Amino acid sequence: MKSLFIAFLFFYLHPIPALSSADYDASTTVSNATDFIRTSCSATLYPDLCYASLSGHANAIRQDPARLARTAIGVSLSRARHMAAFVSNLSREADYGADPRASAALHDCFSNMGDAVDEIQGSLNQMRKLVAPGSESFRFQMGNVQTWMSAALTDEETCTDGFEDVDDGPMKTAVCERAANVKKFTSNALALVDCYAEKGMN
Ligand SMILES: *[C@@H]1O[C@H](CO)[C@@H](O)[C@H](O)[C@H]1NC(C)=O
Ligand SMILES: *[C@@H]1O[C@H](CO)[C@@H](O)[C@H](O)[C@H]1NC(C)=O
């Protein structure tokens, strides 16, 4: 009896708010957008990572494949930039300066990651200037983005090549794991770019 009263009091004091139509629209927009992101991400090699990294941007992406691809490129850019900063920091640490192979590997990795950053940045700039799908200019622009994102993926792959000659250790492990992670974001962004390019060329 007492608990019933408390329950009554609770609902009396906290009436369930009526969902306004604006709230409803906002929540359907987001749930539609997250469905759209989930479905689109299934075309990538790392769908869970794709969804996890993009669903937070559902409001901006809506159900627009161009915005989706552009956001994925932005995520990949920030990952590549962070990786370049990480490698640059490591190369300044005295410990690795003493080992010429480690030092050379870090230097090459930084240089490759820097190239990847430039290519991804170029892709993002191109996506911001994109013309309407279907035209010759659209094909040209998407071709650029595909070329640059593929080049970025190759540069990220090349980043860890020099570490084959470096003795195993925590630094090598950290760099290789992070590089592998960055590649996943770039690979996903490229897959979403390919999907959009394919649809827009019909
Ligand atoms: C959500 O998707 C449904 C079905 O595709 C559509 O009818 C509705 O208009 C969409 N709502 C919003 C707010 O985009
Ligand atoms: C690189 O070093 C700077 C200065 O010590 C630090 O603020 C930054 O967080 C480091 N970045 C990475 C990615 O480790």
Side-chain angles (χ1 to χ4, degrees):
M1 199 58 196
K2 194 175 161 201
S3 62
L4 205 64
F5 176 71
I6 289 169
F8 168 78
L9 204 63
F10 180 83
F11 284 111
Y12 182 73
L13 295 174
H14 304 269
I16 296 165
L19 210 54
S20 75
S21 82
D23 286 342
Y24 181 75
D25 282 352
S27 66
T28 2
T29 305
V30 168
S31 75
N32 279 1
T34 53
D35 284 350
F36 166 72
I37 294 167
R38 197 186 300 282
T39 308
S40 307
C41 280
S42 66
T44 68
L45 280 182
Y46 311 98
D48 293 342
L49 185 77
C50 174
Y51 181 75
S53 63
L54 295 171
S55 56
H57 303 279
N59 263 325
I61 293 170
R62 293 160 191 256
Q63 296 180 71
D64 182 336
R67 282 165 178 250
L68 178 70
R70 198 172 66 202
T71 308
I73 293 172
V75 168
S76 144
L77 178 61
S78 89
R79 296 292 167 153
R81 275 207 183 117
H82 190 264
M83 173 79 194
F86 175 73
V87 174
S88 161
N89 282 359
L90 279 180
S91 66
R92 280 198 296 263
E93 283 182 22
D95 291 4
Y96 306 121
D99 174 352
R101 278 179 302 189
S103 164
L106 283 169
H107 179 272
D108 288 351
C109 185
F110 176 69
S111 160
N112 284 308
M113 203 48 75
D115 290 345
V117 166
D118 291 344
E119 286 144 0
I120 301 170
Q121 180 70 66
S123 303
L124 191 59
N125 295 346
Q126 185 74 104
M127 290 298 289
R128 287 182 176 141
K129 289 186 286 196
L130 218 52
V131 299
S135 64
E136 198 52 47
S137 303
F138 176 82
R139 276 168 221 260
F140 174 75
Q141 291 179 321
M142 289 310 289
N144 285 340
V145 176
Q146 287 170 307
T147 304
W148 297 333
M149 290 303 286
S150 307
L153 192 57
T154 305
D155 281 324
E156 289 166 1
E157 253 153 32
T158 314
C159 177
T160 45
D161 281 0
F163 285 88
E164 277 163 22
D165 303 330
V166 174
D167 293 337
D168 289 341
M171 185 274 276
K172 179 174 171 174
T173 306
V175 172
C176 293
E177 277 177 359
R178 280 168 187 252
N181 199 40
V182 173
K183 275 192 293 187
K184 291 180 184 173
F185 287 98
T186 305
S187 156
N188 280 350
L190 177 57
L192 296 174
V193 163
D194 287 343
C195 280
Y196 180 56
E198 203 176 305
K199 278 185 206 135
M201 283 182 192
N202 298 327

